[in-house]
Every structure is written in C-alpha cells, then in structure tokens.
Amino acid sequence: MTGAAGGLGLAYSRLLAQRGARVVMQDVGAGLDGTGCDPQRIAMAAARLREEGLEAQAAPGGIACRSDCHAQVDAILQQHGRLDFIIHNAGWVEYQQIDVLDEARFDQMMTIAAKAPLWLAQAAWPAMQAAGYGRIVLTTSDRALYPQYVQKGLAAYAAAKLAAVGIVNVLADEGAAHGIVVNAVSPVAKTRVWGIQGEPDELHPAAVAPGVAFLASPACRDGGWILRASNGQFHATRSVEAAAVTYPRDLHAVSAGSVEAVAAQWPAIAQATIEPR
C-alpha cells in the first residue's frame, strides 16, 4: 500500500488488515507539495494499526524511480514469500496554471502517479505470474476523467491521472491470462490534501475503503475498470466501443469528406450522451 501514512491509504490498510491481510505500508512522509521526507509518519501509522491488533509493517523507502520500486517489491517477496496485491495510493494535488507550469513539477507528478505504479507492477509481475494470482489497483481522479469536474491549474495532475488509466487498460489485458486483475479507483474523501487534519465531518476515507478492498480481493475477477468511490457509493466505468464498429476501418460513424462536411455535421459527430444511471 503506497501513500499509507494517513487519509485514504491508512483507511485502505486498516480495512484490509481487519480482513486478514498482512499489509506493508509504504510512505516517505512527504509534505503537501510532494517534497520532503519524514519516516516517522509511516512508522506511527503502522504502529497505530498494530495497537489495534492488526498486522501492519512500515516501509519508509521511496518509489520515485524504477530501482526504488523494484527494491520495495523485492523486500516484500524476500520477507513474506508472496505478494497478493499492490494498491498505489501515493500522490498529491498541486495547482499550476499553464502559463507558469514548471517542467520539474510536471515530471514529479508523472513519476508518482504513472511511472511508480508501472514499475511496481513490473517488479511484482513475475511473482504474480508464477502464482497465477495478483491484484493491482492504481489511482485516477474524476478531475481528469470528466470535463465538468476539471479545475484550473491541474493540467499536470490530470495528465498523470489519465496516464494511470491507460496503464490499467493495458496491464488488465496483459494480466488476464495469468490471473492478474488490474483496475483503478477514482476516490473522493476529505484528507490532508483538502487541508483536513484528523477525521473529517463528511466524505470519510473509510467510506471509500470497501470498494478498494474488493478490487484487491479474490472476489474481483474483472479488470480494466475505474471504480468511482465517494461517500459510501460506488460506480464502475470504462470506455466501451459501440457494437457495430469494426475498428479502425468502420467506426459506424458519420461520414464526411471535407472540412465543410465535418463542420456541417458536427452536432451529429459530437453528441453529448448522458450515461443512464
């Protein structure tokens, strides 16, 4: 469990441990801007779960590069002999509008939200493949998935969170033959990134945890889904192609042979279809 020192990661860890999992809780103890290091944060979080009679182990090492991710997984396999699930929760929110967006900050966002889970999955893949079993859960965000929920200044954040969806789509397909199920969660909860210290008055992290625990469990057998989770409610979504399409030669779509034809038929080409729910 990455990013497990508080908020959602701690809530996920607690519920999984209550259900019998032996949870290795990773967190470097970074600040709200994603920088810095405080190993005491994860040590205290793991100790709190152990005080509750749960099996939890602190892992303060980083996941900012491929070798660090492989080292985290290798240490777990050496100590425990197996790795049933990876939940990548680590991340932060940072606002930088396009005119001041910094390349180094963009790269750091991509490193944690997209590259880290890819390297963690790569490291765990041989052991999971040999076991014929594995569950991997990445984190995305409605701020990236739905145009009506975007916020100014979150271009880097949205890019990284959508990259995670692409990784899920591919790894779900690669893992299917080996019993490795890969999904994403798009959670909403009031945590430290909202400026909340302690238990919030609403949108509790614990209300998201059951969905994530399901994705990490043997009961979850379908990959390639995005589980939206908020306020004790869950909705799974993914892009699904129309039935009549024979991609890429026939999109079963509007034909247009010129710029003018595209412009004239734009209302039929770009239909704002509301999902029935």
Side-chain angles (χ1 to χ4, degrees):
M1 182 78 64
T2 69
L8 287 164
L10 180 58
Y12 301 162
S13 298
R14 174 177 282 112
L15 180 56
L16 284 161
Q18 288 172 342
R19 291 302 187 107
R22 199 180 308 165
V23 184
V24 177
M25 303 168 64
Q26 182 278 337
D27 203 303
V28 297
L32 289 175
D33 63 352
T35 65
C37 180
D38 180 6
Q40 286 303 308
R41 289 197 71 238
I42 192 60
M44 292 172 62
R48 190 190 317 176
L49 294 194
R50 289 195 297 270
E51 289 171 359
E52 298 172 15
L54 305 174
E55 290 196 63
Q57 174 184 336
I63 52 172
C65 64
R66 181 178 180 271
S67 60
D68 285 349
C69 292
H70 277 251
Q72 288 279 357
V73 171
D74 290 346
I76 291 170
L77 291 172
Q78 289 175 14
Q79 182 175 356
H80 301 287
R82 57 189 281 188
L83 179 57
D84 297 321
F85 63 81
I86 294 175
I87 300 173
H88 181 60
N89 170 72
W92 77 99
V93 178
E94 181 171 57
Y95 294 84
Q96 282 192 329
Q97 294 200 33
I98 187 63
D99 54 339
V100 296
L101 182 59
D102 179 77
E103 184 176 9
R105 300 300 289 167
F106 176 85
D107 290 345
Q108 187 179 2
M109 186 68 73
M110 292 296 294
T111 291
I112 298 302
K115 292 173 73 174
L118 186 64
W119 299 139
L120 289 167
Q122 181 187 65
W125 207 263
M128 289 184 171
Q129 189 172 359
Y133 178 87
R135 299 292 182 267
I136 299 174
V137 183
L138 276 63
T139 300
T140 185
S141 173
D142 285 7
R143 298 295 185 197
L145 297 171
Y146 294 91
Q148 59 265 51
Y149 299 145
V150 302
Q151 290 185 340
K152 295 178 178 64
L154 290 185
Y157 178 82
K161 294 301 185 181
L162 276 183
V165 174
I167 292 170
V168 165
N169 289 339
V170 175
L171 295 191
D173 187 61
E174 290 188 14
H178 309 292
I180 304 173
V181 180
V182 185
N183 288 290
V185 62
S186 179
V188 180
K190 285 189 175 181
T191 63
R192 191 170 65 131
V193 298
W194 286 51
I196 302 296
Q197 299 295 332
E199 188 65 23
D201 58 349
E202 62 164 352
L203 298 176
H204 300 274
V208 172
V212 176
F214 166 77
L215 294 180
S217 76
C220 179
R221 298 182 178 88
D222 296 325
W225 286 94
I226 302 166
L227 181 64
R228 301 176 66 207
S230 177
N231 207 29
Q233 298 181 33
F234 303 93
H235 165 235
T237 185
R238 62 181 173 188
S239 297
V240 179
E241 183 64 278
V245 169
T246 54
Y247 181 82
R249 292 173 179 79
D250 183 5
L251 299 182
H252 198 63
V254 177
S255 296
S258 68
V259 176
E260 291 77 14
V262 172
Q265 298 183 87
W266 185 251
I269 293 171
Q271 298 185 41
T273 303
I274 304 298
E275 179 184 353
R277 186 164 76 253

